[in-house]
Amino acid sequence: MPELPEVEAWVRELDPLVVRAPIERAGPAHIATVKTFDPPLRSLEGRTFGGAHRRGKNLVLPTADGELVLRVHLMSAGRLRYHAPGARTPKTPMFRLTFTDGGELVLTEAGKKKRAGVWLLTPEGLEAELAHLGPDALGLGPERLGEILERERRQLHPLLRDQRALAGIGRAHANEILWLAKLSPFKLSTDLSDEEVARLAAAIDDDLSRALTLREAGKGDTIVYRIHGHFGEPCPLGHDTLRRVAFEEHTITYCPTCQTGGKELKDRRLSRLLR
């Protein structure tokens, strides 16, 4: 489930690699993956990328001439990898881009649901596509975060995941951040004290910075995530057993002692089954 730290780590890895040689062939690509048709993918051929960047959870690769931008969103199961010349690559990826030196940029996606996307846009088109994104979550600070929290009366967990409010956080790091800040995932954004806002802002930076460092070192989910995916295990602080609230497409993990004053939150999915 790539979020800001994972995408930023990939960007830093890809940045010096994608500029090595011009693009020889753009494609083939799965029909569900390519979201644009004009300009066509073949417009990339013969051009060179100017590097790799990140906008929220999006990987952005502009051409060196400034005319085109390749945007990639990995959704929950996509992976974008650079393969050196001569390396073995997947036979049927969702998208493949081949460089003149034999290197390849390959997008794969696990699972049956194909949600990852590739867009080829002009710089103006990219700005229009991403105009809805809120400010980057990393380095936001308590003052700016406080403004976002006051804008709408919302529960903290869905607010943190809303890319229109702040960009880069998904369900995994929302779990981590709220545990670190010792705040209930269901606490309302307008009910936070100044001290809680400052605590939440610090937790966002601490968690995302820590995760980025670990991802750059090649660490996996079991080390990066301290509570996400650890339902039923002891809280890392030793205070309680980690609980969860399960929804159709995501799960909130939390520690009752650390975050909710010992109260166990109702599992919405189980409640519906018992009706």
Side-chain angles (χ1 to χ4, degrees), residues 175-176 178-180 182 225-228 230-243 253-260:
N175 286 336
E176 298 291 313
L178 291 170
W179 169 75
L180 194 60
K182 293 182 169 56
Y225 301 137
R226 290 172 284 193
I227 71 160
H228 179 76
H230 294 281
F231 162 71
E233 299 177 19
C235 168
L237 297 179
H239 294 155
D240 207 331
T241 299
L242 296 174
R243 311 293 212 281
T253 307
Y254 69 100
C255 171
T257 299
C258 292
Q259 295 175 254
T260 62

Side-chain angles (χ1 to χ4, degrees), residues 14-259:
L14 290 173
D15 185 54
L17 300 174
V18 297
V19 301
R20 289 180 173 179
I23 299 158
E24 182 175 89
R25 186 181 180 196
H30 193 283
I31 190 171
T33 302
V34 180
K35 310 297 185 181
T36 54
F37 63 90
D38 185 25
L41 283 177
R42 65 175 181 274
S43 301
L44 284 171
E45 295 171 2
R47 302 178 194 258
T48 303
F49 284 129
H53 310 283
R54 178 184 59 81
R55 294 280 295 276
K57 300 182 191 178
N58 296 272
L59 289 122
V60 178
L61 294 88
T63 56
D65 58 17
E67 294 184 1
L68 296 172
V69 184
L70 187 70
R71 171 197 170 200
V72 181
H73 196 300
L74 300 171
M75 296 302 289
S76 61
R79 298 293 183 268
L80 186 67
R81 301 294 189 196
Y82 175 86
H83 297 269
R88 293 183 63 180
T89 61
K91 291 183 178 180
T92 56
M94 303 306 292
F95 172 72
R96 186 191 305 272
L97 191 150
T98 306
F99 298 95
T100 57
D101 65 353
E104 292 186 350
L105 192 63
V106 176
L107 172 66
T108 57
E109 188 172 13
K112 295 180 180 180
K113 295 181 179 180
K114 303 305 179 185
R115 296 176 174 175
V118 172
W119 294 255
L120 184 60
L121 305 159
T122 63
E124 296 77 17
L126 178 72
E127 291 306 313
E129 284 279 330
L130 301 183
H132 68 282
L133 290 180
D136 204 64
L138 188 60
L140 197 61
E143 184 175 345
R144 189 73 185 278
L145 178 61
E147 295 171 358
I148 293 169
L149 295 172
E150 286 291 335
R151 206 173 289 159
E152 296 180 63
R153 187 173 175 82
R154 299 178 60 187
Q155 293 177 344
L156 289 178
H157 201 280
L159 175 60
L160 289 178
R161 300 185 342 256
D162 185 349
Q163 302 304 295
R164 295 175 183 271
L166 64 166
I169 298 173
R171 59 183 180 265
H173 285 288
N175 286 336
E176 298 291 313
I177 288 165
L178 291 170
W179 169 75
L180 194 60
K182 293 182 169 56
L183 292 170
S184 168
F186 291 167
K187 190 175 179 91
L188 294 173
S189 59
T190 52
D191 289 347
L192 269 64
S193 66
D194 290 344
E195 187 273 334
E196 287 174 323
V197 172
R199 206 162 72 214
L200 181 57
I204 291 172
D205 279 350
D206 289 351
D207 173 65
L208 297 181
S209 297
R210 171 186 174 274
L212 175 56
T213 298
L214 291 172
R215 291 299 188 189
E216 286 191 286
K219 303 301 181 183
D221 291 355
T222 55
I223 293 179
V224 171
Y225 301 137
R226 290 172 284 193
I227 71 160
H228 179 76
H230 294 281
F231 162 71
E233 299 177 19
C235 168
L237 297 179
H239 294 155
D240 207 331
T241 299
L242 296 174
R243 311 293 212 281
R244 69 180 175 186
V245 182
F247 295 85
E248 186 174 344
E249 296 219 352
H250 74 278
T251 300
I252 294 176
T253 307
Y254 69 100
C255 171
T257 299
C258 292
Q259 295 175 254

